[in-house]
Amino acid sequence: MSIRDRISEAVLSWPEVTERRHRFGGVEFKLGARELGHLHGDHTVDLPFTRAIRDELIAAGQARVHHSVPDSGWVTYSIRSEADVPAAVALFRLSYERAAAARAENTKRRGGG
């Protein structure tokens, strides 16, 4: 199984996550309309966070500033080997948990829960 396949299998196992082709190549994962992040082949993961979370991830050495949008909350994680898969999945999980919490809060505000 490729690195991409291993990450996809893990992320798609979470409730309501979908996969589609990303506009800049690769594959993106979404929860509803919200992008959790995207994967370029077996080598690069890009994920959206707030700037505060981005700064924490960078300070901890868990990610680096996104190459195309450095003044945003986006981060990039480089995958060098199979050993990097769990860390990539953990970043997707953090993004998923934030998206799921925001979704639940929006539903609650609209009176749905």
Side-chain angles (χ1 to χ4, degrees):
M1 185 180 290
S2 72
I3 288 172
R4 178 201 177 282
D5 290 342
R6 287 184 58 209
I7 293 170
S8 291
E9 180 178 75
V11 176
L12 290 171
S13 73
W14 304 330
E16 300 183 60
V17 173
T18 60
E19 175 185 82
R20 70 176 206 168
R21 179 176 280 271
H22 185 65
R23 66 185 176 274
F24 297 124
V27 61
E28 75 182 31
F29 301 95
K30 298 184 90 164
L31 179 62
R34 184 171 174 164
E35 182 180 350
L36 303 176
H38 54 271
L39 178 60
H40 297 284
D42 287 337
H43 55 85
T44 305
V45 173
D46 295 319
L47 304 109
F49 293 105
T50 64
R51 285 187 186 202
I53 293 172
R54 175 202 69 174
D55 292 346
E56 290 174 18
L57 292 169
I58 291 167
Q62 295 175 289
R64 61 184 166 79
V65 173
H66 191 275
H67 56 94
S68 296
V69 284
D71 294 327
S72 72
W74 280 83
V75 298
T76 295
Y77 179 76
S78 297
I79 302 168
R80 292 172 187 78
S81 72
E82 292 278 336
D84 294 323
V85 170
V89 172
L91 288 168
F92 272 111
R93 186 67 189 193
L94 177 60
S95 183
Y96 173 80
E97 289 171 357
R98 292 183 65 251
R103 186 181 220 192
E105 183 61 30
N106 286 339
T107 299
K108 184 178 173 183
R109 266 192 246 134
R110 288 192 309 263

